[in-house]
Amino acid sequence: MARRTGRRPGNPATREAILDAARATFGQRGYDGSTIRAIAAAAGVDPALVHHYFGSKDQLFLAAMQAPFDPREVLPAVLAGDRAGLGERIVRTFLSVWDSPAGTAGIAMLRSAVSNEWTARLLREFVTIHVLRPILDHVDVDPAEVPLRGSLLASQLVGLAVMRHVIRLEPIATADPEVLVAAIAPTIGRYLTAPL
Amino acid sequence: MARRTGRRPGNPATREAILDAARATFGQRGYDGSTIRAIAAAAGVDPALVHHYFGSKDQLFLAAMQAPFDPREVLPAVLAGDRAGLGERIVRTFLSVWDSPAGTAGIAMLRSAVSNEWTARLLREFVTIHVLRPILDHVDVDPAEVPLRGSLLASQLVGLAVMRHVIRLEPIATADPEVLVAAIAPTIGRYLTAPL
């Protein structure tokens, strides 16, 4: 018998019911407005069961999104190190995730988001909470400017992913990652901290 | 009886056959590798009929793409004026097209391109030939760098359109266009002419 590690997978039908309820709740109320309690109620199960199957609200959200990777696994290395190199580390890490097998799932998520308002909303939430907030918490700028800086940064990175992996415009489609890091890192650095 | 102006619409079935043949030919051979003669042959009509219905290869291409606007109508104003203001004029014009009714058709084209390799190819051709080439012909840079500069520029602009109109991440989704012009124009200027 295979040894089980980590969380118990649980009853597949119950898991699916919880994931469906999570997608509906996150979609309607957003990430911040959703609670494990509300999701459990929508799924008709006890909140303790949701925690038991999925852990934290964060983990449930990533599972509901079928997120191709967990930003918390890569962000610490991006945020460690000097401020001057932050733009470079962001672009290099972004490219390495999109160039990896996780990128295929990322493309599927992007395809779904452009044709489905519900997925678009979850993607907004995902990007804002799991990528942009941790990065912008790390730089010292006027808090009032944080949302604009975050969405500018996202616009360049999403455009890079779309052009490299979806539209596949050359030479960006096949360029060496370091060529793109050198060209795009100053843009990211400017969006993070330069006067707007 | 309504007065007819411009080109004769022609027989609808013949028009559609020519447009289908044009899409297939542009999709297989690209814009530069396609000729009116080859498209006419694929449609089983005389090349003169293609010219009669659609005019030039450029015009046929725009019709085949169902292009929401003709870049040749807006680019002259973008390219007129001083070099220092070129980035601003590009972002301002791009936003005004995407914020107009043509933007709705642009979103449909983007949706189609992310789920359909054939549309993605036509969109690459469209962007390269009708938008990037005329802009980059206008700046004085090493010709070897033109493709990379063009695709970097496209990555920022497409990312802006995706974030403002598809994913709708705030505040970029509803920001005053001039706020975005001020923030993004330096990026475009840098991709056009700064050392990479």
Side-chain angles (χ1 to χ4, degrees):
Chain A
M1 194 173 90
R3 198 153 57 104
R4 278 185 184 166
T5 54
R7 289 189 180 276
R8 285 211 244 146
N11 178 316
T14 307
R15 269 183 70 88
E16 270 315 305
I18 294 170
L19 287 173
D20 284 348
R23 289 184 194 110
T25 307
F26 286 130
Q28 284 156 23
R29 305 186 187 186
Y31 178 85
D32 287 334
S34 299
T35 59
I36 291 271
R37 177 173 298 274
I39 291 164
V45 303
D46 192 88
L49 196 66
V50 178
H51 283 293
H52 177 70
Y53 280 3
F54 292 99
S56 67
K57 183 168 90 168
D58 260 17
Q59 290 169 301
L60 175 58
F61 181 69
L62 293 169
M65 282 217 66
Q66 304 182 281
F69 80 110
D70 185 341
R72 289 168 305 180
E73 289 173 10
V74 299
L75 278 175
V78 171
L79 298 176
D82 62 320
R83 292 284 169 85
L86 182 57
E88 278 193 18
R89 294 194 301 277
I90 289 171
V91 180
R92 187 175 292 121
T93 304
F94 183 84
L95 285 168
S96 75
V97 169
W98 277 87
D99 289 353
S100 79
T104 310
I107 293 163
M109 191 184 287
L110 209 50
R111 288 203 165 115
S112 171
V114 300
S115 58
N116 181 324
E117 165 53 25
W118 182 89
T119 315
R121 173 153 192 186
L122 280 198
L123 193 59
R124 282 199 295 276
E125 297 273 324
F126 178 79
V127 167
T128 302
I129 291 159
H130 289 281
V131 182
L132 300 178
R133 270 190 207 167
I135 290 173
L136 283 149
D137 278 351
H138 199 74
V139 294
D140 187 29
V141 289
D142 181 351
E145 292 181 342
V146 160
L148 180 59
R149 291 182 184 281
S151 62
L152 288 167
L153 185 148
S155 77
Q156 174 59 85
L157 293 180
V158 164
L160 171 60
V162 168
M163 278 303 173
R164 185 166 171 87
H165 294 287
V166 181
I167 311 282
R168 290 205 287 277
L169 185 70
E170 290 295 356
I172 220 171
T174 56
D176 184 277
E178 287 306 311
V179 169
L180 301 176
V181 168
I184 295 172
T187 299
I188 301 303
R190 205 172 59 76
Y191 290 158
L192 286 175
T193 55
L196 290 177
Chain B
M1 194 174 92
R3 197 154 57 104
R4 278 186 184 166
T5 55
R7 291 192 178 274
R8 287 211 243 146
N11 178 315
T14 307
R15 267 184 72 88
E16 271 314 305
I18 294 169
L19 288 173
D20 284 347
R23 289 185 194 110
T25 307
F26 286 130
Q28 283 157 24
R29 305 186 187 185
Y31 178 85
D32 288 334
S34 298
T35 61
I36 291 272
R37 177 174 298 275
I39 291 165
V45 302
D46 191 89
L49 195 67
V50 177
H51 283 294
H52 178 70
Y53 281 2
F54 293 99
S56 67
K57 183 168 90 168
D58 258 17
Q59 290 170 301
L60 174 58
F61 181 69
L62 292 169
M65 281 218 67
Q66 305 182 278
F69 80 109
D70 185 341
R72 288 167 306 180
E73 289 174 9
V74 299
L75 277 175
V78 171
L79 298 176
D82 62 320
R83 292 284 168 83
L86 182 56
E88 279 193 16
R89 294 194 301 277
I90 289 172
V91 180
R92 186 176 292 121
T93 304
F94 183 84
L95 285 168
S96 75
V97 169
W98 276 89
D99 289 353
S100 79
T104 310
I107 293 163
M109 191 184 288
L110 208 51
R111 289 204 165 114
S112 172
V114 300
S115 58
N116 181 323
E117 165 54 24
W118 181 89
T119 315
R121 172 152 193 186
L122 281 197
L123 193 60
R124 281 198 297 273
E125 297 273 323
F126 178 80
V127 167
T128 302
I129 290 158
H130 291 280
V131 182
L132 300 178
R133 270 190 208 167
I135 290 173
L136 283 149
D137 279 350
H138 200 73
V139 294
D140 186 30
V141 289
D142 181 351
E145 292 181 343
V146 160
L148 180 59
R149 291 182 184 281
S151 62
L152 288 167
L153 187 147
S155 78
Q156 174 61 85
L157 293 180
V158 164
L160 172 58
V162 167
M163 278 301 172
R164 185 167 171 86
H165 295 287
V166 181
I167 311 282
R168 289 205 288 280
L169 185 69
E170 290 295 356
I172 221 171
T174 56
D176 184 277
E178 287 306 311
V179 169
L180 301 176
V181 169
I184 295 172
T187 299
I188 301 303
R190 204 171 60 77
Y191 290 158
L192 285 174
T193 54
L196 290 178

